[in-house]
Amino acid sequence: MKAFNLRVYGLLINDAEEILLSDEQEYGMQFTKFPGGGLEYGEGLIDGLKREFVEECDVKIDVLSHYYTTDFLLNPLLMIRRSSVFIIW
């Protein structure tokens, strides 16, 4: 079985119903994404999402509800050898 990873992302919506997006650059490529990223070994989904928000946005969050999980494997742009399952809260 080939390796894959789990990635968690969050929809942070303010009172004006605007969604926070993150502009990032890795390996010379620029991209826009929701705040979040890959889980660390042994980390739970919600704990991983909370950690990512602190790391990327310096914000502590409450996770209110699940939004979407891919039901297929994706090959992310930056992870050539691994497929990923994306979970969005």
Side-chain angles (χ1 to χ4, degrees):
M1 178 178 195
K2 291 186 178 183
F4 71 95
N5 69 2
L6 294 175
R7 304 188 68 78
V8 291
Y9 295 94
L11 302 176
L12 183 62
I13 304 170
N14 66 14
D15 292 335
E17 297 188 4
E18 299 168 317
I19 297 176
L20 178 66
L21 295 174
S22 175
D23 291 326
E24 298 188 12
Q25 182 171 332
E26 288 282 338
Y27 307 108
M29 296 182 297
Q30 295 181 350
F31 51 94
T32 300
K33 67 177 195 63
F34 298 120
L39 292 179
E40 295 179 358
Y41 184 78
E43 187 172 45
L45 299 172
I46 292 174
D47 287 339
L49 182 61
K50 289 180 176 185
R51 175 187 52 77
E52 287 286 345
F53 264 84
V54 169
E55 288 178 4
E56 294 184 11
C57 306
D58 197 27
V59 172
K60 291 185 178 183
I61 61 166
D62 293 318
V63 178
L64 302 179
S65 64
H66 175 260
Y67 180 73
Y68 176 76
T69 300
T70 58
D71 60 352
F72 50 88
L73 293 176
L74 293 170
N75 290 319
L77 189 58
L78 301 176
M79 302 188 76
I80 305 302
R81 295 183 175 207
R82 283 197 179 169
S83 296
S84 294
V85 172
F86 293 83
I87 303 165
I88 302 173
W89 298 90

Coordinates of all heavy atoms in Angstrom, one line a residue:
M1 N 0.8 -1.2 0.0 CA 0.0 0.0 0.0 C 0.9 1.2 0.0 O 1.8 1.3 0.8 CB -0.9 0.0 1.2 CG -1.8 1.2 1.3 SD -2.8 1.0 2.8 CE -4.0 2.3 2.5
K2 N 0.6 2.2 -0.9 CA 1.4 3.4 -0.9 C 1.0 4.3 0.2 O -0.1 4.3 0.7 CB 1.1 4.1 -2.3 CG 1.7 3.4 -3.5 CD 1.5 4.3 -4.7 CE 2.1 3.6 -5.9 NZ 2.1 4.4 -7.1
A3 N 2.0 5.1 0.6 CA 1.7 6.1 1.7 C 0.8 7.2 1.3 O 0.8 7.6 0.2 CB 3.1 6.6 2.2
F4 N 0.0 7.7 2.3 CA -0.8 8.9 2.0 C -0.8 9.6 3.4 O -0.4 9.1 4.4 CB -2.2 8.5 1.6 CG -3.1 7.9 2.6 CD1 -3.9 8.7 3.3 CD2 -3.1 6.5 2.8 CE1 -4.8 8.1 4.3 CE2 -3.9 5.9 3.7 CZ -4.7 6.7 4.5
N5 N -1.2 10.9 3.3 CA -1.3 11.6 4.5 C -2.7 12.3 4.7 O -3.4 12.4 3.7 CB -0.1 12.7 4.7 CG -0.2 13.8 3.7 OD1 -1.2 13.9 2.9 ND2 0.7 14.7 3.7
L6 N -3.0 12.7 5.9 CA -4.2 13.4 6.2 C -3.9 14.8 6.4 O -2.9 15.2 7.1 CB -4.8 12.8 7.5 CG -5.3 11.4 7.4 CD1 -5.8 11.0 8.8 CD2 -6.4 11.3 6.4
R7 N -4.7 15.7 5.7 CA -4.5 17.1 5.8 C -5.8 17.8 6.3 O -6.9 17.4 5.8 CB -4.1 17.7 4.5 CG -2.8 17.0 4.0 CD -2.2 17.6 2.7 NE -1.7 19.0 3.0 CZ -0.5 19.2 3.5 NH1 0.3 18.2 4.0 NH2 0.0 20.4 3.7
V8 N -5.7 18.7 7.2 CA -6.9 19.4 7.8 C -6.8 20.9 7.5 O -5.7 21.5 7.5 CB -7.0 19.1 9.3 CG1 -7.3 17.7 9.6 CG2 -5.7 19.5 10.0
Y9 N -7.9 21.4 7.1 CA -8.0 22.8 6.8 C -9.3 23.4 7.5 O -10.2 22.7 7.7 CB -8.1 23.1 5.3 CG -6.8 22.6 4.6 CD1 -6.7 21.4 4.1 CD2 -5.7 23.5 4.5 CE1 -5.5 21.0 3.5 CE2 -4.6 23.1 4.0 CZ -4.4 21.8 3.4 OH -3.3 21.4 2.9
G10 N -9.3 24.7 7.7 CA -10.4 25.3 8.4 C -11.0 26.5 7.6 O -10.2 27.2 7.0
L11 N -12.3 26.6 7.7 CA -13.0 27.8 7.2 C -13.2 28.7 8.3 O -14.1 28.4 9.2 CB -14.3 27.3 6.5 CG -14.2 26.3 5.4 CD1 -15.6 25.9 5.0 CD2 -13.4 26.9 4.3
L12 N -12.5 29.8 8.4 CA -12.7 30.8 9.4 C -13.5 31.9 8.8 O -13.0 32.6 7.9 CB -11.3 31.3 9.9 CG -11.4 32.3 11.1 CD1 -12.0 31.7 12.3 CD2 -10.0 32.8 11.4
I13 N -14.7 32.1 9.3 CA -15.6 33.1 8.7 C -15.9 34.2 9.7 O -16.3 33.9 10.8 CB -16.9 32.4 8.3 CG1 -16.6 31.2 7.3 CG2 -17.9 33.4 7.6 CD1 -17.8 30.3 7.0
N14 N -15.7 35.4 9.3 CA -16.0 36.5 10.2 C -17.4 37.0 10.2 O -18.2 36.4 9.4 CB -15.0 37.7 9.9 CG -15.2 38.4 8.6 OD1 -16.2 38.2 7.9 ND2 -14.2 39.2 8.2
D15 N -17.7 38.1 10.9 CA -19.1 38.5 11.0 C -19.6 39.1 9.7 O -20.8 39.1 9.5 CB -19.2 39.6 12.1 CG -19.0 39.1 13.5 OD1 -19.3 37.8 13.7 OD2 -18.6 39.8 14.4
A16 N -18.7 39.5 8.8 CA -19.1 40.0 7.5 C -19.2 38.8 6.4 O -19.3 39.1 5.3 CB -18.1 41.0 7.0
E17 N -19.1 37.6 6.9 CA -19.2 36.4 6.1 C -18.1 36.3 5.1 O -18.2 35.8 4.0 CB -20.6 36.3 5.5 CG -21.7 36.1 6.5 CD -23.0 35.8 5.8 OE1 -23.1 35.6 4.6 OE2 -24.0 35.7 6.6
E18 N -16.9 36.8 5.5 CA -15.7 36.7 4.7 C -14.9 35.5 5.2 O -14.8 35.2 6.4 CB -14.8 37.9 4.8 CG -15.5 39.2 4.3 CD -14.8 40.5 4.7 OE1 -14.3 40.6 5.8 OE2 -14.7 41.3 3.8
I19 N -14.3 34.7 4.3 CA -13.5 33.5 4.6 C -12.0 33.9 4.5 O -11.6 34.5 3.6 CB -13.9 32.4 3.7 CG1 -15.3 32.0 3.8 CG2 -12.9 31.2 4.0 CD1 -15.8 30.9 2.9
L20 N -11.3 33.5 5.6 CA -9.9 33.7 5.6 C -9.1 32.8 4.7 O -9.3 31.6 4.7 CB -9.3 33.5 7.1 CG -7.8 33.7 7.2 CD1 -7.4 35.1 7.0 CD2 -7.4 33.2 8.6
L21 N -8.3 33.4 3.8 CA -7.4 32.6 2.9 C -6.0 33.0 3.3 O -5.7 34.1 3.7 CB -7.7 32.9 1.5 CG -9.1 32.5 1.0 CD1 -9.3 33.1 -0.5 CD2 -9.3 31.0 1.0
S22 N -5.1 32.0 3.0 CA -3.7 32.2 3.3 C -2.9 32.2 2.0 O -3.0 31.2 1.2 CB -3.2 31.1 4.2 OG -1.8 31.1 4.4
D23 N -2.1 33.2 1.7 CA -1.2 33.2 0.6 C 0.1 32.8 1.0 O 0.7 33.3 2.0 CB -1.1 34.7 0.0 CG -2.4 35.1 -0.7 OD1 -3.1 34.3 -1.3 OD2 -2.7 36.3 -0.6
E24 N 0.6 31.7 0.4 CA 1.9 31.1 0.8 C 2.8 30.9 -0.4 O 2.4 30.9 -1.5 CB 1.6 29.8 1.5 CG 0.8 30.0 2.8 CD 0.7 28.7 3.6 OE1 1.4 27.7 3.3 OE2 -0.2 28.7 4.5
Q25 N 4.1 30.7 0.0 CA 5.1 30.3 -1.0 C 5.9 29.2 -0.5 O 6.5 29.3 0.6 CB 6.0 31.5 -1.3 CG 7.0 31.3 -2.4 CD 7.7 32.5 -2.9 OE1 7.2 33.6 -2.8 NE2 8.9 32.3 -3.3
E26 N 6.1 28.2 -1.3 CA 6.9 27.0 -1.0 C 7.6 26.5 -2.2 O 7.0 26.5 -3.3 CB 6.1 25.8 -0.4 CG 5.5 26.1 1.0 CD 6.6 25.8 2.1 OE1 7.6 25.1 1.8 OE2 6.4 26.4 3.2
Y27 N 8.9 26.2 -2.1 CA 9.6 25.7 -3.2 C 9.5 26.5 -4.5 O 9.4 26.0 -5.6 CB 9.2 24.2 -3.5 CG 9.2 23.3 -2.3 CD1 8.1 22.9 -1.7 CD2 10.5 22.9 -1.8 CE1 8.1 22.1 -0.6 CE2 10.5 22.1 -0.7 CZ 9.3 21.7 -0.1 OH 9.4 20.9 1.0
G28 N 9.5 27.9 -4.3 CA 9.4 28.8 -5.4 C 8.0 28.9 -6.0 O 7.9 29.6 -7.1
M29 N 7.0 28.3 -5.5 CA 5.7 28.4 -6.0 C 4.8 29.2 -5.1 O 4.8 29.0 -3.9 CB 5.1 27.0 -6.2 CG 5.8 26.2 -7.3 SD 5.1 24.5 -7.5 CE 5.3 23.8 -6.0
Q30 N 3.9 30.0 -5.6 CA 2.9 30.8 -4.8 C 1.6 30.1 -5.0 O 1.2 29.7 -6.0 CB 2.9 32.2 -5.2 CG 4.2 32.9 -5.0 CD 4.1 34.4 -5.4 OE1 3.2 34.8 -6.1 NE2 5.1 35.2 -5.1
F31 N 0.8 30.1 -3.8 CA -0.5 29.5 -3.9 C -1.4 30.1 -2.8 O -0.9 30.7 -1.8 CB -0.5 28.0 -3.8 CG 0.3 27.5 -2.7 CD1 -0.3 27.2 -1.5 CD2 1.7 27.3 -2.8 CE1 0.4 26.7 -0.4 CE2 2.4 26.8 -1.7 CZ 1.8 26.5 -0.5
T32 N -2.7 30.0 -2.9 CA -3.6 30.4 -1.9 C -4.4 29.2 -1.4 O -4.8 28.4 -2.2 CB -4.6 31.4 -2.6 OG1 -3.9 32.6 -3.1 CG2 -5.6 31.9 -1.6
K33 N -4.6 29.2 -0.1 CA -5.3 28.0 0.5 C -6.0 28.4 1.8 O -5.8 29.5 2.3 CB -4.3 26.9 0.8 CG -3.3 27.2 1.9 CD -2.4 26.0 2.1 CE -1.6 26.2 3.4 NZ -2.4 26.2 4.6
F34 N -6.8 27.6 2.3 CA -7.4 27.8 3.6 C -6.3 27.5 4.7 O -5.4 26.7 4.4 CB -8.5 26.8 3.9 CG -9.7 27.0 3.0 CD1 -10.1 25.9 2.1 CD2 -10.4 28.2 2.9 CE1 -11.2 26.1 1.3 CE2 -11.4 28.3 2.0 CZ -11.8 27.3 1.2
P35 N -6.3 28.1 5.8 CA -5.3 27.8 6.9 C -5.4 26.3 7.2 O -6.5 25.7 7.4 CB -5.7 28.7 8.0 CG -6.5 29.8 7.4 CD -7.2 29.2 6.2
G36 N -4.3 25.7 7.4 CA -4.2 24.3 7.8 C -3.1 23.6 7.2 O -2.2 24.2 6.6
G37 N -3.0 22.3 7.3 CA -1.9 21.5 6.7 C -1.9 20.1 7.2 O -3.0 19.6 7.7
G38 N -0.8 19.4 7.1 CA -0.7 18.0 7.4 C -0.7 17.7 8.9 O -0.1 18.5 9.7
L39 N -1.2 16.5 9.3 CA -1.2 16.1 10.6 C 0.2 15.6 11.0 O 0.9 15.0 10.1 CB -2.2 15.0 10.9 CG -3.7 15.3 10.8 CD1 -4.5 14.1 11.0 CD2 -4.0 16.4 11.8
E40 N 0.6 15.8 12.2 CA 1.8 15.2 12.7 C 1.5 13.8 13.2 O 0.3 13.5 13.5 CB 2.4 16.0 13.9 CG 2.8 17.4 13.4 CD 3.4 18.3 14.5 OE1 3.4 17.9 15.7 OE2 3.8 19.4 14.2
Y41 N 2.5 12.9 13.2 CA 2.2 11.5 13.6 C 1.6 11.4 15.0 O 2.0 12.0 15.9 CB 3.6 10.7 13.6 CG 3.4 9.2 13.9 CD1 2.9 8.4 12.9 CD2 3.6 8.7 15.1 CE1 2.7 7.0 13.2 CE2 3.4 7.4 15.4 CZ 2.9 6.6 14.4 OH 2.7 5.2 14.7
G42 N 0.5 10.7 15.1 CA -0.2 10.5 16.3 C -1.2 11.6 16.7 O -1.8 11.5 17.8
E43 N -1.3 12.6 15.9 CA -2.1 13.8 16.2 C -3.5 13.5 15.7 O -3.8 13.0 14.7 CB -1.5 15.0 15.5 CG -2.1 16.3 15.9 CD -1.3 17.4 15.3 OE1 -1.0 17.4 14.1 OE2 -1.1 18.4 16.0
G44 N -4.5 14.0 16.5 CA -5.9 13.9 16.1 C -6.3 15.0 15.1 O -5.6 16.0 15.0
L45 N -7.4 14.8 14.5 CA -7.8 15.8 13.4 C -8.0 17.2 14.0 O -7.5 18.2 13.5 CB -9.1 15.3 12.8 CG -9.0 14.0 12.0 CD1 -10.4 13.5 11.6 CD2 -8.1 14.1 10.8
I46 N -8.8 17.3 15.1 CA -9.1 18.6 15.6 C -7.9 19.2 16.3 O -7.6 20.4 16.1 CB -10.3 18.5 16.5 CG1 -11.6 18.2 15.7 CG2 -10.5 19.8 17.3 CD1 -12.8 17.9 16.5
D47 N -7.1 18.4 17.0 CA -5.9 19.0 17.6 C -4.9 19.5 16.5 O -4.3 20.5 16.7 CB -5.2 17.9 18.4 CG -5.9 17.6 19.7 OD1 -6.7 18.5 20.2 OD2 -5.7 16.6 20.3
G48 N -4.9 18.8 15.4 CA -4.0 19.2 14.3 C -4.5 20.5 13.7 O -3.7 21.4 13.4
L49 N -5.8 20.6 13.5 CA -6.3 21.9 13.0 C -6.1 23.1 13.9 O -5.6 24.1 13.4 CB -7.8 21.7 12.7 CG -8.5 22.9 12.1 CD1 -7.9 23.2 10.7 CD2 -10.0 22.7 11.9
K50 N -6.3 22.8 15.2 CA -6.0 23.9 16.1 C -4.5 24.3 16.1 O -4.2 25.5 16.2 CB -6.4 23.5 17.5 CG -7.9 23.4 17.7 CD -8.3 23.0 19.1 CE -9.8 23.0 19.3 NZ -10.2 22.7 20.7
R51 N -3.6 23.3 16.1 CA -2.2 23.6 16.0 C -1.8 24.4 14.7 O -1.1 25.4 14.8 CB -1.4 22.3 16.0 CG 0.1 22.5 15.8 CD 0.9 21.2 15.7 NE 0.3 20.3 14.7 CZ 0.5 20.5 13.4 NH1 1.2 21.5 12.9 NH2 0.0 19.6 12.5
E52 N -2.4 24.0 13.6 CA -2.1 24.7 12.3 C -2.6 26.2 12.4 O -1.9 27.0 11.9 CB -2.8 24.0 11.2 CG -2.1 22.7 10.8 CD -0.8 22.9 10.1 OE1 -0.5 24.0 9.6 OE2 0.0 21.9 10.0
F53 N -3.7 26.4 13.0 CA -4.2 27.8 13.1 C -3.3 28.7 14.0 O -3.0 29.8 13.7 CB -5.7 27.9 13.6 CG -6.6 28.0 12.5 CD1 -7.1 26.9 11.8 CD2 -7.1 29.2 12.1 CE1 -8.0 26.9 10.7 CE2 -8.0 29.3 11.0 CZ -8.5 28.2 10.4
V54 N -2.8 28.1 15.1 CA -1.9 28.8 15.9 C -0.6 29.1 15.1 O 0.0 30.2 15.2 CB -1.6 28.0 17.2 CG1 -0.4 28.7 18.0 CG2 -2.8 28.0 18.1
E55 N 0.0 28.0 14.4 CA 1.2 28.2 13.7 C 1.1 29.2 12.6 O 2.0 30.0 12.4 CB 1.6 26.9 13.1 CG 2.2 25.9 14.1 CD 2.5 24.5 13.5 OE1 2.5 24.4 12.3 OE2 2.9 23.6 14.3
E56 N 0.0 29.2 11.8 CA -0.1 30.0 10.6 C -0.8 31.3 10.9 O -0.4 32.3 10.2 CB -1.0 29.2 9.5 CG -0.3 28.0 9.0 CD -1.1 27.3 7.9 OE1 -2.0 27.9 7.4 OE2 -0.7 26.2 7.5
C57 N -1.7 31.4 11.8 CA -2.4 32.7 12.0 C -2.3 33.3 13.4 O -2.8 34.4 13.7 CB -3.9 32.4 11.8 SG -4.3 31.7 10.2
D58 N -1.6 32.6 14.3 CA -1.5 33.0 15.7 C -2.9 33.2 16.3 O -3.1 34.2 17.1 CB -0.6 34.2 15.8 CG -0.1 34.5 17.3 OD1 0.0 33.5 18.0 OD2 0.1 35.6 17.6
V59 N -3.8 32.3 16.0 CA -5.2 32.4 16.5 C -5.6 31.0 17.1 O -5.4 30.0 16.5 CB -6.1 32.7 15.3 CG1 -7.6 32.6 15.8 CG2 -5.8 34.1 14.8
K60 N -6.2 31.1 18.3 CA -6.8 29.9 18.9 C -8.2 29.8 18.4 O -9.0 30.8 18.5 CB -6.7 29.9 20.4 CG -5.3 29.8 20.9 CD -5.3 29.7 22.4 CE -3.8 29.6 22.9 NZ -3.8 29.4 24.4
I61 N -8.6 28.6 18.0 CA -10.0 28.5 17.4 C -10.8 27.4 18.1 O -10.2 26.6 18.8 CB -9.9 28.1 15.9 CG1 -9.2 26.7 15.7 CG2 -9.2 29.1 15.1 CD1 -9.3 26.1 14.4
D62 N -12.1 27.5 18.0 CA -13.0 26.5 18.4 C -13.5 25.8 17.1 O -14.0 26.5 16.2 CB -14.2 27.0 19.2 CG -13.8 27.6 20.5 OD1 -13.0 26.9 21.2 OD2 -14.3 28.6 20.9
V63 N -13.5 24.5 17.0 CA -14.0 23.8 15.8 C -15.5 23.5 16.0 O -15.8 22.8 17.0 CB -13.2 22.5 15.6 CG1 -13.7 21.8 14.4 CG2 -11.7 22.8 15.4
L64 N -16.3 24.1 15.2 CA -17.7 24.0 15.4 C -18.4 22.9 14.6 O -19.3 22.2 15.2 CB -18.4 25.3 14.9 CG -17.9 26.6 15.7 CD1 -18.6 27.8 15.1 CD2 -18.1 26.4 17.1
S65 N -18.0 22.6 13.4 CA -18.6 21.5 12.6 C -17.7 21.1 11.4 O -16.9 21.9 11.0 CB -20.0 22.0 12.1 OG -19.9 23.0 11.2
H66 N -18.0 19.9 11.0 CA -17.3 19.4 9.8 C -17.9 19.9 8.6 O -19.2 20.0 8.5 CB -17.4 17.8 9.9 CG -16.8 17.2 8.7 ND1 -17.6 16.7 7.6 CD2 -15.5 16.9 8.3 CE1 -16.8 16.2 6.7 NE2 -15.6 16.3 7.1
Y67 N -17.1 20.3 7.6 CA -17.7 20.8 6.3 C -17.5 19.8 5.2 O -18.5 19.5 4.5 CB -16.9 22.1 6.0 CG -17.4 22.7 4.7 CD1 -18.7 23.3 4.6 CD2 -16.7 22.7 3.5 CE1 -19.1 23.9 3.5 CE2 -17.1 23.2 2.3 CZ -18.3 23.8 2.3 OH -18.8 24.4 1.1
Y68 N -16.4 19.2 5.0 CA -16.2 18.3 3.8 C -14.9 17.5 4.0 O -13.9 17.9 4.6 CB -16.0 19.2 2.6 CG -15.7 18.4 1.3 CD1 -16.7 17.8 0.6 CD2 -14.4 18.4 0.8 CE1 -16.4 17.0 -0.5 CE2 -14.1 17.7 -0.4 CZ -15.1 17.0 -1.0 OH -14.8 16.3 -2.2
T69 N -15.0 16.2 3.5 CA -13.8 15.3 3.4 C -13.8 14.8 2.0 O -14.8 14.3 1.5 CB -14.0 14.2 4.4 OG1 -14.0 14.7 5.8 CG2 -12.8 13.2 4.3
T70 N -12.6 14.8 1.4 CA -12.5 14.2 0.1 C -12.7 12.7 0.3 O -12.3 12.1 1.2 CB -11.1 14.4 -0.6 OG1 -10.1 13.9 0.3 CG2 -10.9 15.9 -0.9
D71 N -13.4 12.1 -0.7 CA -13.6 10.6 -0.6 C -12.8 9.9 -1.7 O -13.1 8.9 -2.2 CB -15.1 10.3 -0.8 CG -15.7 10.7 -2.1 OD1 -15.0 11.5 -2.8 OD2 -16.9 10.4 -2.4
F72 N -11.7 10.6 -2.0 CA -10.7 10.1 -3.0 C -9.4 10.6 -2.7 O -9.3 11.6 -1.9 CB -11.1 10.5 -4.4 CG -11.4 11.9 -4.6 CD1 -10.4 12.8 -4.8 CD2 -12.7 12.4 -4.4 CE1 -10.7 14.2 -4.9 CE2 -13.0 13.8 -4.5 CZ -12.0 14.7 -4.8
L73 N -8.3 10.0 -3.1 CA -6.9 10.5 -2.9 C -6.6 11.6 -3.9 O -6.9 11.5 -5.1 CB -5.9 9.4 -2.9 CG -6.1 8.3 -1.8 CD1 -5.1 7.2 -2.0 CD2 -5.9 8.9 -0.5
L74 N -5.9 12.6 -3.4 CA -5.4 13.7 -4.3 C -3.9 13.7 -4.2 O -3.3 13.4 -3.2 CB -5.9 15.1 -3.8 CG -7.4 15.3 -3.9 CD1 -7.8 16.6 -3.2 CD2 -7.8 15.4 -5.4
N75 N -3.3 14.2 -5.3 CA -1.8 14.4 -5.3 C -1.6 15.9 -5.2 O -1.6 16.6 -6.2 CB -1.2 13.8 -6.6 CG -1.2 12.3 -6.7 OD1 -1.0 11.7 -5.7 ND2 -1.5 11.8 -7.8
P76 N -1.3 16.3 -4.0 CA -1.0 17.7 -3.8 C 0.2 18.2 -4.6 O 1.1 17.5 -4.8 CB -0.8 17.9 -2.3 CG -1.3 16.6 -1.7 CD -1.2 15.6 -2.7
L77 N 0.1 19.5 -4.9 CA 1.2 20.1 -5.7 C 2.6 19.9 -5.1 O 3.5 19.7 -5.8 CB 0.9 21.6 -5.8 CG 1.7 22.4 -6.8 CD1 1.6 21.9 -8.2 CD2 1.2 23.9 -6.8
L78 N 2.7 20.0 -3.8 CA 4.0 19.9 -3.1 C 4.4 18.6 -2.6 O 5.4 18.4 -2.1 CB 4.0 20.9 -2.0 CG 3.7 22.4 -2.3 CD1 3.7 23.2 -1.1 CD2 4.8 22.9 -3.3
M79 N 3.5 17.6 -2.8 CA 3.9 16.2 -2.3 C 3.8 15.2 -3.5 O 2.8 14.5 -3.6 CB 2.9 15.8 -1.2 CG 3.0 16.8 -0.1 SD 2.0 16.3 1.3 CE 3.2 15.0 1.9
I80 N 4.8 15.2 -4.3 CA 4.8 14.3 -5.5 C 4.6 12.9 -5.2 O 3.9 12.2 -5.9 CB 6.1 14.6 -6.3 CG1 6.3 16.0 -6.6 CG2 6.1 13.7 -7.5 CD1 5.2 16.7 -7.3
R81 N 5.2 12.4 -4.1 CA 5.2 10.9 -3.8 C 4.1 10.4 -2.9 O 3.9 9.3 -2.7 CB 6.5 10.5 -3.2 CG 7.6 10.7 -4.2 CD 8.9 10.3 -3.7 NE 9.9 10.4 -4.7 CZ 11.0 9.7 -4.8 NH1 11.2 8.8 -3.9 NH2 11.8 9.9 -5.8
R82 N 3.3 11.3 -2.4 CA 2.2 10.9 -1.5 C 0.9 11.5 -2.0 O 0.8 12.6 -2.4 CB 2.5 11.4 -0.1 CG 3.5 10.6 0.6 CD 3.4 10.9 2.1 NE 4.4 10.1 2.7 CZ 4.8 10.2 3.9 NH1 4.2 11.1 4.7 NH2 5.7 9.4 4.4
S83 N -0.2 10.7 -1.8 CA -1.5 11.2 -2.0 C -2.1 11.7 -0.7 O -1.6 11.2 0.4 CB -2.4 10.1 -2.6 OG -1.9 9.7 -3.9
S84 N -3.1 12.5 -0.7 CA -3.6 13.0 0.5 C -5.2 12.9 0.5 O -5.8 12.9 -0.5 CB -3.3 14.5 0.7 OG -1.9 14.6 0.8
V85 N -5.7 12.8 1.8 CA -7.1 13.0 2.0 C -7.2 14.3 2.7 O -6.5 14.6 3.7 CB -7.6 11.9 2.9 CG1 -9.1 12.1 3.4 CG2 -7.5 10.5 2.2
F86 N -8.1 15.2 2.2 CA -8.3 16.5 2.8 C -9.6 16.5 3.6 O -10.7 16.1 3.2 CB -8.5 17.6 1.7 CG -7.2 17.7 0.9 CD1 -6.8 16.9 -0.1 CD2 -6.3 18.8 1.2 CE1 -5.6 17.1 -0.8 CE2 -5.1 19.0 0.6 CZ -4.8 18.1 -0.5
I87 N -9.5 17.1 4.8 CA -10.7 17.2 5.7 C -10.8 18.7 6.0 O -9.9 19.3 6.5 CB -10.5 16.4 7.0 CG1 -10.2 14.9 6.6 CG2 -11.7 16.5 7.9 CD1 -9.7 14.1 7.7
I88 N -12.0 19.2 5.8 CA -12.2 20.7 6.0 C -13.3 20.9 7.1 O -14.4 20.3 7.0 CB -12.6 21.4 4.7 CG1 -11.6 21.1 3.6 CG2 -12.9 22.9 4.9 CD1 -12.0 21.6 2.2
W89 N -12.9 21.7 8.1 CA -13.8 21.9 9.2 C -14.4 23.3 9.1 O -13.8 24.2 8.6 CB -13.1 21.8 10.5 CG -12.6 20.4 10.7 CD1 -11.4 19.9 10.4 CD2 -13.2 19.3 11.4 NE1 -11.2 18.6 10.7 CE2 -12.4 18.2 11.3 CE3 -14.5 19.2 11.9 CZ2 -12.7 17.0 11.9 CZ3 -14.8 17.9 12.5 CH2 -13.9 16.8 12.4

